[in-house]
Amino acid sequence: MGIIKAAVNSVTGALADSWLEVIEAAPMGNNDVFVPGQAVDQKGRSQNKKGGENLVSNGSIIHVLDNQFMILVDGGKIVDYTAVAGYYKVDNSSLPSLFNGQFGDSIKESFSRIKYGGISSTSQKVFFLNLQEIRGIKFGTQNPVQYFDNFYESELFMRLHGTYSIKITDPFKFYMEVIPRENVTENRKFTFAMPDIQQFNDEFVAELGTAFNQYSADGFRVSHIASKTKEMGKYMADALDEDWNQLRGFQVISVGMQPPAYDEESQKIVNERSKMASQVSYLKDAANQQAYMAKQVGEGISGAGNNPGGAAIGFMGMNMAQNMGAGVMGSYMQNPQYANQPQQGGYAQQPQQGGYAQQPQQNAQAPQQNGSWTCSCGAVNQGKFCSECGSKRPEAPKKRFCTNCGAELSENTKFCPECGTKAE
């Protein structure tokens, strides 16, 4: 038993009157992977009408379209197949013709293994498998997936959802392992969608969790996962290769991820850390630093008059806060990461009249006798920088001596009081 390729121009010619049936695939939707054949009316040349029984007699014609894989079943076994588009005549006296098409000779091995299997039957039937990429298969995680994000420095919990696509790689394995037997006996199509593929979706989601753990270990931000769809598709295809491709004859082609849905606590972490990161990025610019501090001072002045203790106490508190802010910003600018920031209007770069952001030498007072020194903010210090505002300790004035007699000269002396020599 087998099929013989028929000439295209003879299908609508006089020979069509002698054919018992012309069989085509039932309509295939986007996710339909398996449909039975159905009789087609040949423009009044026969009594066949579209939607007839899926029974094929000797001498019938089977019409195969592009990206379709046709199998001919007889007596519970697959007797012939083709992956090449065209018209084929059923000839029970011929051997299997085996039109391999895009699959090459590799599919013959699968055919030899299953051609005596299948279901019980007493008549020939035709079925078609969809070789197109089956897209838009939805998936989602019922329970939150755990993900450690180095950027947020936290364990995040989220639900994942999206779509993936598959493609049949071995039609015989797919027919034997995926298509339910009742769909064959009852001539019903099979659609690769929920709830019929619950088991496959469970396997996909389980492997997806493993992939996410790997992305976490590699240091990817969770917000960047949606841009890794190509890599994710390849990973899932490799991870499911043994279970899906080798055993069941189909594989994952691509994965489309939607933004993850965080649980309540994880969403708070993401919002807070993102806000902090935005502020740090904003304050890297010197002009933004000045604008930020000016805004804080302005708000302080506005609120000082409303202080319950009176405006004087309000301004006192504002001054303390200003000095503390100067210390924070001073320490920030001493960080080597920002030491080379552009000096256009930068904090502690240009002296400002009456402003807190003048040079540290202008902010600090002279050293005291015991080696300590008092900063302009009022703090008494021992080190080189003020512990409250970060201002640098002023350098002690250099001593001057007369070049003639060696007498010590005061800072503003123009002539030596001992010998009258002009001071240098």
Side-chain angles (χ1 to χ4, degrees):
M1 300 179 184
I3 55 176
I4 301 174
K5 194 162 187 178
V8 176
N9 57 5
S10 66
V11 175
T12 58
L15 292 178
D17 293 328
S18 63
W19 293 336
L20 299 180
E21 298 97 11
V22 174
I23 304 295
E24 289 183 349
M28 283 186 176
N30 292 334
N31 288 81
D32 293 335
V33 292
F34 175 83
V35 299
Q38 65 179 14
V40 180
D41 179 27
Q42 288 296 297
K43 298 180 181 180
R45 293 180 181 272
S46 68
Q47 297 300 316
N48 300 315
K49 295 183 178 180
K50 196 168 186 177
E53 293 293 331
N54 182 23
L55 299 176
V56 182
S57 303
N58 187 32
S60 296
I61 288 291
I62 301 173
H63 185 196
V64 182
L65 302 178
D66 289 328
N67 279 326
Q68 290 181 346
F69 187 90
M70 185 276 294
I71 56 175
L72 181 63
V73 177
D74 181 45
K77 60 184 179 181
I78 298 176
V79 295
D80 209 344
Y81 66 87
T82 181
V84 181
Y87 293 91
Y88 297 87
K89 179 182 178 181
V90 178
D91 187 351
N92 292 338
S93 64
S94 66
L95 295 174
S97 50
L98 310 182
F99 293 99
N100 301 317
Q102 60 182 281
F103 296 100
D105 292 336
S106 61
I107 201 173
K108 291 183 179 179
E109 181 178 355
S110 296
F111 174 70
S112 64
R113 292 178 179 177
I114 69 170
K115 62 182 179 181
Y116 296 111
I119 62 172
S120 299
S121 177
T122 57
S123 60
Q124 292 181 338
K125 294 183 178 182
V126 178
F127 297 100
F128 296 84
L129 293 168
N130 192 350
L131 300 183
Q132 289 183 320
E133 182 180 356
I134 308 301
R135 301 180 177 89
I137 306 168
K138 297 181 179 181
F139 71 88
T141 58
Q142 294 182 353
N143 299 316
V145 176
Q146 184 176 355
Y147 191 96
F148 181 81
D149 195 306
N150 290 323
F151 178 79
Y152 298 111
E153 297 181 342
S154 301
E155 293 282 358
L156 303 178
F157 295 86
M158 69 208 75
R159 286 182 170 83
L160 308 175
H161 61 284
T163 60
Y164 65 97
S165 67
I166 66 163
K167 190 175 180 65
I168 296 175
T169 56
D170 190 318
F172 293 125
K173 292 179 182 178
F174 191 85
Y175 170 76
M176 295 298 296
E177 302 297 333
V178 178
I179 305 302
R181 295 301 89 184
E182 58 267 22
N183 289 65
V184 178
T185 56
E186 298 174 9
N187 297 322
R188 289 190 288 110
K189 69 180 181 180
F190 180 78
T191 301
F192 205 88
M194 295 291 285
D196 295 333
I197 60 167
Q198 181 66 60
Q199 177 182 344
F200 301 125
N201 258 18
D202 290 343
E203 294 175 4
F204 181 90
V205 169
E207 195 58 47
L208 186 66
T210 303
F212 257 63
N213 291 335
Q214 183 60 51
Y215 275 112
S216 174
D218 292 342
F220 287 106
R221 287 182 58 179
V222 68
S223 58
H224 294 169
I225 295 300
S227 65
K228 300 292 180 181
T229 54
K230 184 176 181 180
E231 294 88 341
M232 183 71 75
K234 184 178 185 303
Y235 175 88
M236 295 299 290
D238 294 341
L240 294 169
D241 178 72
E242 183 176 354
D243 289 335
W244 284 17
N245 191 19
Q246 297 184 33
L247 297 181
R248 294 163 176 164
F250 70 101
Q251 67 178 13
V252 174
I253 298 299
S254 64
V255 179
M257 296 288 299
Q258 298 296 325
Y262 302 103
D263 66 3
E264 185 175 354
E265 291 300 320
S266 296
Q267 188 64 60
K268 289 181 180 179
I269 293 174
V270 171
N271 293 342
E272 291 174 357
R273 300 292 173 84
S274 297
K275 183 178 180 180
M276 292 173 59
S278 177
Q279 292 177 343
V280 170
S281 176
Y282 175 81
L283 292 175
K284 286 182 180 180
D285 181 79
N288 290 341
Q289 297 164 18
Q290 290 185 345
Y292 175 80
M293 294 307 298
K295 178 177 180 293
Q296 300 304 310
V297 171
E299 292 177 353
I301 294 174
S302 176
N306 299 324
N307 190 286
I313 296 179
F315 279 110
M316 184 182 299
M318 187 187 73
N319 186 54
M320 294 175 61
Q322 177 179 339
N323 290 331
M324 293 176 63
V328 173
M329 296 300 291
S331 300
Y332 173 82
M333 292 304 297
Q334 292 168 17
N335 190 321
Q337 181 178 359
Y338 311 115
N340 297 323
Q341 290 289 325
Q343 299 183 5
Q344 298 180 356
Y347 166 81
Q349 296 293 335
Q350 295 182 356
Q352 300 180 5
Q353 296 182 357
Y356 91 97
Q358 295 181 4
Q359 297 288 348
Q361 290 82 353
Q362 297 174 350
N363 286 339
Q365 296 179 357
Q368 298 180 352
Q369 296 297 325
N370 60 358
S372 62
W373 59 282
T374 302
C375 181
S376 60
C377 70
V380 178
N381 305 278
Q382 295 288 340
K384 295 181 179 180
F385 294 89
C386 178
S387 60
E388 293 295 331
C389 69
S391 297
K392 185 177 181 181
R393 176 176 181 169
E395 297 180 359
K398 296 182 179 179
K399 294 183 177 181
R400 303 170 64 207
F401 299 90
C402 178
T403 58
N404 182 40
C405 66
E408 183 174 355
L409 305 177
S410 60
E411 181 178 2
N412 298 321
T413 300
K414 296 182 179 180
F415 294 90
C416 178
E418 298 294 328
C419 66
T421 302
K422 185 177 182 180
E424 293 182 0

